[in-house]
């Protein structure tokens, strides 16, 4: 079976377009499901490809379909566990299932992960901003018919946030600090709350983002320029800090306000840190942990959204048809006024 499909591609920096391709589905193919995509969310990495033609060292070398936060309906499948027309969230991870990390269950560390919309490999891995796509059966996570699409599109970024929250250990009754409350930081707020954190104190340079953090469950917010000395006394007040901005001053602040032997979870991606306060890390015996993508938390995220444990809708700022793809990217790039932008494919 062959279907014509339109896809949103990036060719190089600020050069995007819509291309028509054929998507091929063969019933005999193993473990394959054909999806008609309904909606997608624009993520920071999609924006990076658009604005700079690369993410980190991974430059776009040929047209690549963007997008890894997508949901859709099943058109065809050979899985006994899935059915035609079922609504599914698509897990954008495609691990190899055979490297040492995959075999030990740490699939987010897969040595040859094929992640949607990534220029890490050449040829690049196409993403989900397209009308039709063939995916592995295991990438399809069904969700109830009555859950709105605009909610379920948050499954992927919420999975990132839940995975990060879990790096902080048992959060029940804990005092938590979150520095940087863009969409991911705000979803970390909701996640640590759902996991039982008692105090959730957030900071950012944007008052709009701080207001969103309050809506998502923060108990208190402070502007980045406010006085934090009360939280730095006694070698710090917080059990766990989440650094979600990547800015050196934010990393420094996390080290100041996290108590001795506490944990800092690093989510924000930044550049070099020439003046990194190494001595604070050593002397306070801080656990500084990275957090990257997710494993089974994708299924947890689908469950939490389907059961209304987390309401992500305060973070949705605008919705566009995929035909206005470039306008959607430009709008998403306006960080002062905009959080999440979604694209509709059908
Ligand atoms: Zn994302
Ligand atoms: Zn692997």
């Amino acid at each position: 079976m062959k279907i014509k499909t339109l896809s949103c591609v990036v060719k190089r920096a600020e050069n995007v377009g819509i291309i028509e391709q054929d998507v091929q589905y063969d019933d005999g193919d193993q473990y394959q499901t054909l999806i008609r995509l309904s909606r997608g969310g624009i993520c920071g990495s999609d924006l990076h490809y658009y604005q700079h033609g690369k993410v980190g060292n991974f430059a776009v070398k040929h047209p690549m379909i963007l997008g890894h936060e997508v949901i859709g309906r099943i058109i065809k499948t050979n899985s006994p566990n899935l059915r035609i027309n079922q609504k599914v969230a698509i897990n954008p991870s495609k691990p190899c299932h055979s490297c040492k990390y995959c075999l030990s269950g740490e699939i987010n560390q897969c040595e040859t992960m094929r992640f949607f919309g990534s220029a890490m490999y050449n040829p690049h891995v196409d993403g989900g901003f397209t009308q039709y796509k063939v995916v592995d059966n295991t990438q399809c996570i069904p969700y109830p018919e009555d859950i709105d699409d605009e909610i379920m599109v948050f499954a992927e970024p919420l999975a990132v946030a839940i995975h990060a929250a879990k790096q902080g250990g048992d959060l029940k009754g804990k005092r938590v600090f979150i520095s940087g409350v863009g969409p991911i930081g705000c979803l970390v707020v909701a996640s640590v709350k759902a996991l039982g954190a008692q105090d959730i104190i957030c900071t950012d340079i944007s008052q709009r983002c701080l207001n969103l953090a309050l809506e998502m469950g923060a108990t208190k917010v402070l502007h980045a320029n406010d006085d934090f000395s009360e939280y730095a006394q006694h070698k710090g007040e917080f059990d766990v800090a989440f650094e979600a901005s990547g800015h050196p001053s934010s990393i420094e602040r996390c080290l100041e306000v996290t108590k001795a032997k506490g944990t800092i979870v690093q989510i924000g991606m930044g550049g070099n840190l020439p003046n990194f306060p190494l001595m604070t890390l050593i002397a306070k015996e801080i656990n500084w942990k990275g957090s990257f993508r997710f494993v089974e938390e994708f299924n947890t995220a689908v469950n939490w959204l389907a059961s209304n444990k987390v309401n992500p809708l305060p973070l949705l700022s605008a919705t566009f048809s995929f035909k206005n793809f470039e306008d959607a990217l430009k709008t998403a790039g306006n960080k002062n006024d905009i959080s999440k932008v979604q694209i509709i494919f059908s």
Side-chain angles (χ1 to χ4, degrees), residues 16 156 210:
V16 294
E156 198 273 348
L210 290 173

Side-chain angles (χ1 to χ4, degrees), residues 95-103 107 109-113:
C96 76
H97 296 297
S98 61
C99 72
K100 67 177 177 187
Y101 299 106
C102 283
L103 293 176
I107 59 152
Q109 296 297 339
C110 173
E111 291 175 57
T112 53
M113 171 71 85

Side-chain angles (χ1 to χ4, degrees), residues 73-93:
R73 275 187 196 273
I74 293 177
I75 302 293
K76 273 182 167 279
T77 183
N78 58 14
S79 166
N81 303 317
L82 300 170
R83 51 184 171 72
I84 307 295
N85 208 34
Q86 196 168 28
K87 279 179 159 184
V88 284
I90 310 294
N91 186 334
S93 317

Side-chain angles (χ1 to χ4, degrees), residues 248-256 264 273-284 286 288:
S249 63
S250 164
I251 295 173
E252 229 171 282
R253 176 154 288 151
C254 287
L255 281 161
E256 258 168 43
I264 299 176
L273 300 173
N275 301 313
F276 181 78
L278 194 57
M279 199 53 219
T280 313
L281 180 91
I282 295 169
K284 283 168 68 174
I286 298 279
W288 195 22

